[in-house]
Amino acid sequence: MVTKMLQMSMKSGDEEQVLDLTDAPEFVLAQFCDLILRKQDLRNPDVRKMLRETVDALKAKAEKEPVDPVAYERNSLKERIADIEDLLKQFDHE
């Protein structure tokens, strides 16, 4: 069995913090994806990497039954993930 590490490293000044994205509630991950899509330039490979990591964590949560108090309907969440992945593929082929 292969386990993918879904972590993000955030650096503020001299401090670096590693966050396990699968510990974040799915609505936070979804909102973060939306924020990246609205405010960041997807032509930047670092931005695409950050979005891809967040989508991967969201995808891992979407494959399981919801455990968060606030959860998205599974089919619409999976459709949203697919839309973002399609968008990322378009930018990867440029």
Side-chain angles (χ1 to χ4, degrees):
M1 183 169 118
V2 176
T3 303
K4 186 174 183 180
M5 297 301 293
L6 298 171
Q7 296 179 331
M8 183 179 289
S9 175
M10 298 185 69
K11 193 169 187 176
S12 175
D14 293 335
E15 295 182 28
E16 185 172 336
Q17 182 179 11
V18 177
L19 305 171
D20 188 355
L21 294 176
T22 56
D23 288 342
E26 66 185 41
F27 80 92
V28 171
L29 295 172
Q31 291 297 316
F32 189 55
C33 288
D34 289 342
L35 180 69
I36 292 170
L37 290 170
R38 277 183 294 179
K39 302 290 184 178
Q40 298 293 321
D41 186 355
L42 289 181
R43 293 174 291 186
N44 182 334
D46 292 333
V47 171
R48 287 195 309 271
K49 181 179 182 252
M50 182 173 43
L51 181 58
R52 187 170 286 110
E53 289 171 349
T54 307
V55 167
D56 286 344
L58 194 55
K59 188 188 298 185
K61 286 188 162 286
E63 294 301 320
K64 300 175 184 171
E65 286 299 313
V67 294
D68 297 327
V70 176
Y72 289 93
E73 192 275 321
R74 287 305 181 237
N75 287 333
S76 63
L77 180 60
K78 288 176 184 179
E79 287 175 13
R80 180 69 177 137
I81 290 168
D83 290 344
I84 295 171
E85 287 178 326
D86 288 344
L87 183 62
L88 284 168
K89 286 176 189 173
Q90 290 176 14
F91 278 92
D92 287 342
H93 293 295
E94 287 186 352

